[in-house]
Structures are given as structure tokens and as C-alpha cells.
Amino acid sequence: MKLSQKDLIRVSAKTNGRCFYCNQPAEVVDHFISRQKYKEWGLEEHIGSPHKLENLVLSCNSCNSKKHDKCPEDFIGNAYLAWKRYYRANWRVGLDLTEKEWIIKGNYSCT
């Protein structure tokens, strides 16, 4: 996945250059909802590519490898906290998730 400089700055601004999951210095761009889960849940047909800015966060290498294709709430351990962080991070850079949040929450299950 190749990001423009502008998009990389926006992704970085979501968490001030820190790992979305553990707040350590970030090293890589990660998919909040993994590409595998996107396919399993059929999200591409509803909201588009998993590479959209809304679905990208920064991560340290350790969290990125541990998360792999887990659901965000399974990795973080708390659904409320996972989605609250996700909405807040995207809100910080001006991404409106009103319609997308309904589609995502209504069309998948981590169990």
C-alpha cells in the first residue's frame, strides 16, 4: 500500500505519530479492520477499499504483528474502547463516519 505524503500526514495526525493500540512511537501504517476481515464481512461492496483513510491507523511493529487479522475489539480487549478510539482518531482529522459507522457495526461480527 502506497500513501501520498498528504495522506500519511493525516494518518499520523490521528494519533500524533503514536501507535493507535499502545501509544508507543509508531513504525507502520495498519488497517484498523484487517483486509481479511473486510473480505469476510463483505465491507468492500458497502464502503469501498480497506485502504481508505478512515480504516488506516499508525501502529508499532509489535502491535501490528500481534494484531494480524484480529478484530479491533478482540485485540484491544474492549469493543467500546476500540470504537471510541477509532471515531475520535478519525474525527481529529475531519473524517465524518456517521454513515460508515452504521454500515460497519451493522454488518459484521467478531464472534
Side-chain angles (χ1 to χ4, degrees):
M1 170 182 52
K2 191 96 166 161
L3 288 179
S4 70
Q5 186 71 17
K6 180 182 174 184
D7 288 346
L8 185 57
I9 289 169
R10 284 186 83 188
V11 171
S12 181
K14 289 180 180 187
T15 57
N16 292 321
R18 310 295 287 183
C19 176
F20 179 83
Y21 308 105
C22 72
N23 205 32
Q24 294 299 308
E27 300 162 294
V28 296
V29 175
D30 184 37
H31 294 88
F32 179 72
I33 300 174
S34 72
R35 290 174 290 177
Q36 179 64 34
K37 294 298 181 200
Y38 239 76
K39 287 179 186 174
E40 285 177 20
W41 300 334
L43 292 176
E44 284 191 37
E45 65 188 65
H46 296 287
I47 59 176
S49 169
H51 307 303
K52 287 190 168 201
L53 286 178
E54 293 93 336
N55 192 43
L56 300 177
V57 295
L58 291 182
S59 176
C60 65
N61 284 327
S62 176
C63 287
N64 189 44
S65 64
K66 289 176 188 173
K67 179 179 173 271
H68 189 55
D69 68 351
K70 292 183 178 110
C71 294
E73 53 263 41
D74 288 347
F75 181 68
I76 291 174
N78 180 308
Y80 173 76
L81 182 58
W83 288 100
K84 180 179 175 183
R85 282 185 194 169
Y86 172 77
Y87 298 135
R88 187 177 341 148
N90 280 291
W91 176 81
R92 289 184 73 200
V93 296
L95 296 171
D96 179 25
L97 301 172
T98 309
E99 180 181 344
K100 290 182 178 125
E101 71 185 46
W102 180 84
I103 291 171
I104 291 171
K105 283 190 163 187
N107 284 291
Y108 84 91
S109 172
C110 281
T111 57

